[in-house]
């Protein structure tokens, strides 16, 4: 039995939207899956009753506190031990659930990821990543997209390995092409950080750790002509992610849509995986709708089944 943990109190519209999304996910997940809701038991039961859904279809773990978006993440974890996020992460660390999804405080999720579940031995800094659509019809992986806004060259080199392992085990790409995002394709382009990272990625590729294909410009991010995995620091990655979301919204407002643009709709992806830690964790958008919550639950199931954590642990031995 696969047990998918869901923070019912996380997000701008929790718990109602989160519980509704969980109900929507029931018929989409496999029969061997069980959703475990962490949150206010009475509120959850009330929402399920309104949805005409039996509480027997879920496991509910009662919590009495909420880490708000404005709370200091580290202090909140210490001061609110019975919050839905804190209890969820304890269950994850103790193996009582197989993965955890939350649209709550990004800072709190990262505290839980790094201090409770902890980073895989050898990983300098975990990353959050996102799948982006390409005109070739398949997804590419972009990392980091907001966890580490300043990355030294050795961290970017590790992102190449993390991204390559993900592309193999989750996307099914046998020999993923890994590229470094830069302002030009020449090896001499970029700032000191990027040029140093380029040299490290070349060495890693020569050692057979991954298939580094060089620098890639932003104009090729959405084509898949050059790379399957694109490495950058969190400042650049988050800027690209927010720009993409903005472009999707503009197109949607004007009634323009197709399969490519829908690939930029966060409701379909649900959330971003935290990579480099010892358990599957999916971080959702704070403004998540019920559809986005459903997608987040499905993304968590997929991450669990792909054994991405085990593959990364093996890669960093």
């Amino acid at each position: 039995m696969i047990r998918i943990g869901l923070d019912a109190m996380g997000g701008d519209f929790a718990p109602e939207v989160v519980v509704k999304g969980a109900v929507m996910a029931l018929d989409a997940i496999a029969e061997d899956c069980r959703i475990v809701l962490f949150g206010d038991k009475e509120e959850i039961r009330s929402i399920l009753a309104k949805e005409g859904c039996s509480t027997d279809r879920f496991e509910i773990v009662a919590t009495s506190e909420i880490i708000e978006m404005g709370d200091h993440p580290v202090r909140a974890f210490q001061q609110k031990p019975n919050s839905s996020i804190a209890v969820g992460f304890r269950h994850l660390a103790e193996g009582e659930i197989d993965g955890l999804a939350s649209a709550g405080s990004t800072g709190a999720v990262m505290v839980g990821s790094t201090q409770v579940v902890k980073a895989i031995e050898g990983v300098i800094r975990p990353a959050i990543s996102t799948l982006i659509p390409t005109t070739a019809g398949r997804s590419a992986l972009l990392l980091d997209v907001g966890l580490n806004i300043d990355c030294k060259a050795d961290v970017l080199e590790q992102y190449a390995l993390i991204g390559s392992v993900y592309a193999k085990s989750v996307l099914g790409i046998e020999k993923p092409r890994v590229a470094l995002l830069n302002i030009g394709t020449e090896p001499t382009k970029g700032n000191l950080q990027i040029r140093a990272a380029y040299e490290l990625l070349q060495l890693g590729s020569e050692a057979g750790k991954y298939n580094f294909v060089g620098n890639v410009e932003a104009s090729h991010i959405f084509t898949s002509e050059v790379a399957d995995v694109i490495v950058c620091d969190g400042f650049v990655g988050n800027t690209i992610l927010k720009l993409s979301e903005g472009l999707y919204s503009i197109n949607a407002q004007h009634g323009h849509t197709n399969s490519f643009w829908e690939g930029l709709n966060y409701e379909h992806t649900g959330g971003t995986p935290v990579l480099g830690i010892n358990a599957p964790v999916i971080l959702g958008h704070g403004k998540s709708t019920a559809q986005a919550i459903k997608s987040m639950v499905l993304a968590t199931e997929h991450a669990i089944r792909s054994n991405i954590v085990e593959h990364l642990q093996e890669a960093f031995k």
Side-chain angles (χ1 to χ4, degrees), residues 141-293:
L141 186 73
L142 179 70
L143 76 166
D144 179 39
V145 292
L147 181 55
N148 301 298
I149 60 173
D150 289 309
C151 295
K152 293 183 179 179
D154 54 352
V155 174
L156 292 174
E157 191 276 331
Q158 284 199 347
Y159 288 172
L161 178 57
I162 290 171
S164 180
V165 171
Y166 185 95
K168 286 181 184 178
S169 60
V170 179
L171 302 182
I173 303 172
E174 183 60 33
K175 192 176 181 181
R177 300 161 299 168
V178 180
L180 183 64
L181 188 59
N182 204 341
I183 58 172
T185 58
E186 301 90 341
T188 55
K189 287 284 188 175
N191 55 25
L192 292 174
Q193 168 208 37
I194 295 299
R195 294 203 300 272
Y198 185 98
E199 294 180 5
L200 289 179
L201 267 73
Q202 271 192 317
L203 292 173
S205 186
E206 291 168 4
K209 293 169 66 178
Y210 38 74
N211 175 30
F212 178 54
V213 296
N215 290 325
V216 63
E217 296 180 348
S219 57
H220 289 109
I221 289 176
F222 297 103
T223 66
S224 193
E225 294 174 355
V226 179
D228 306 298
V229 176
I230 300 166
V231 173
C232 60
D233 63 45
F235 184 92
V236 172
N238 192 264
T239 301
I240 293 170
L241 181 62
K242 297 293 175 58
L243 174 64
S244 302
E245 290 177 350
L247 287 173
Y248 169 78
S249 296
I250 292 170
N251 273 276
Q253 289 168 11
H254 286 80
H256 304 311
T257 186
N258 54 40
S259 59
F260 172 79
W261 286 114
E262 281 304 311
L264 293 173
N265 183 353
Y266 83 95
E267 288 188 309
H268 298 325
T269 56
T272 58
V274 183
L275 299 177
I277 59 174
N278 285 302
V281 173
I282 302 293
L283 174 62
H285 209 302
K287 66 178 183 180
S288 288
T289 61
Q291 176 61 48
I293 297 296

Side-chain angles (χ1 to χ4, degrees), residues 120-121 161 165 278 307-317:
I120 291 170
E121 186 175 356
L161 178 57
V165 171
N278 285 302
N307 295 317
I308 180 60
V309 171
E310 289 79 2
H311 290 304
L312 285 171
Q313 288 170 336
E314 182 65 28
F316 277 90
K317 277 187 179 178

